[in-house]
């Protein structure tokens, strides 16, 4: 019994280190002004949604905010091939990030924060995939 409990405690203790499963892909909505818009929320330690889909060659406005809390969070999307270089600190009001993906494919997005010797937020599951389609 004691051994089982210890094992369960160990498994629960390790769980935050394992990234959560991806959510279903969420496509941006194309507004009448020709801009595709999408909202993403970050928190400890996730992005919601964590799988987003945008179209290549069409301007994107990504509104990204953070859930209330003391832990700082950020958003990084970096793909020279797609012409995207985003690195922002998140706040609760939300900030708008603008870019136009130049090519199709997939690129990760993640939080760059890390506290001392603890696992970085990205390793703890604060990451997602941006898919760029035709
Ligand atoms: Cu973070």
């Amino acid at each position: 019994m004691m051994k089982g409990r210890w094992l369960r405690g160990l498994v629960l203790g390790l769980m935050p280190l394992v990234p959560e499963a991806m959510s279903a892909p969420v496509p941006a909505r194309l507004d009448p002004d020709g801009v595709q818009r999408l909202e993403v929320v970050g928190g400890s330690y996730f992005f919601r949604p964590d799988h987003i889909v945008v179209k290549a060659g069409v301007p994107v406005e990504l509104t990204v905010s953070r859930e209330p809390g003391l832990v700082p969070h950020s958003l990084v999307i970096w793909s020279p091939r797609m012409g995207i270089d985003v690195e922002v600190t998140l706040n609760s009001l939300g900030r708008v990030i603008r870019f136009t993906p130049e090519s199709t494919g997939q690129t990760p997005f993640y939080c760059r924060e890390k506290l001392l010797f603890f696992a970085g937020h990205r390793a703890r599951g604060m990451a997602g995939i941006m898919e760029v389609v035709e």
Side-chain angles (χ1 to χ4, degrees):
M1 281 299 116
M2 282 303 281
K3 196 177 172 193
R5 232 165 128 180
W6 181 85
L7 256 178
R8 190 163 159 261
L10 179 73
V11 169
L12 287 176
L14 288 175
M15 264 169 59
L17 293 174
V18 179
E20 306 244 322
M22 288 269 160
S23 58
V26 175
R29 65 173 190 279
L30 185 59
D31 285 334
D33 61 358
V35 177
Q36 42 183 349
R37 292 188 172 85
L38 201 64
E39 287 83 39
V40 172
V41 177
S44 302
Y45 294 91
F46 63 87
F47 281 108
R48 196 173 52 235
D50 61 4
H51 187 172
I52 61 177
V53 184
V54 297
K55 283 187 163 59
V58 180
V60 175
E61 273 188 21
L62 195 62
T63 301
V64 58
S65 60
R66 50 162 294 163
E67 293 210 318
L70 296 174
V71 183
H73 292 299
S74 59
L75 174 71
V76 177
I77 314 175
W78 186 71
S79 172
R81 197 174 61 81
M82 293 177 181
I84 302 170
D85 186 1
V86 168
E87 187 163 352
V88 294
T89 302
L90 306 191
N91 61 36
S92 54
L93 296 174
R95 52 176 66 203
V96 180
I97 296 156
R98 293 180 179 85
F99 57 87
T100 302
E102 289 166 8
S103 61
T104 58
Q106 289 197 344
T107 188
F109 61 87
Y110 60 91
C111 175
R112 64 165 183 235
E113 305 305 321
K114 186 181 185 334
L115 181 64
L116 302 172
F117 49 85
F118 294 103
H121 294 190
R122 185 181 190 178
R124 297 174 79 164
M126 204 168 172
I129 293 284
M130 184 172 76
E131 207 176 319
V132 182
V133 297
E134 283 290 335

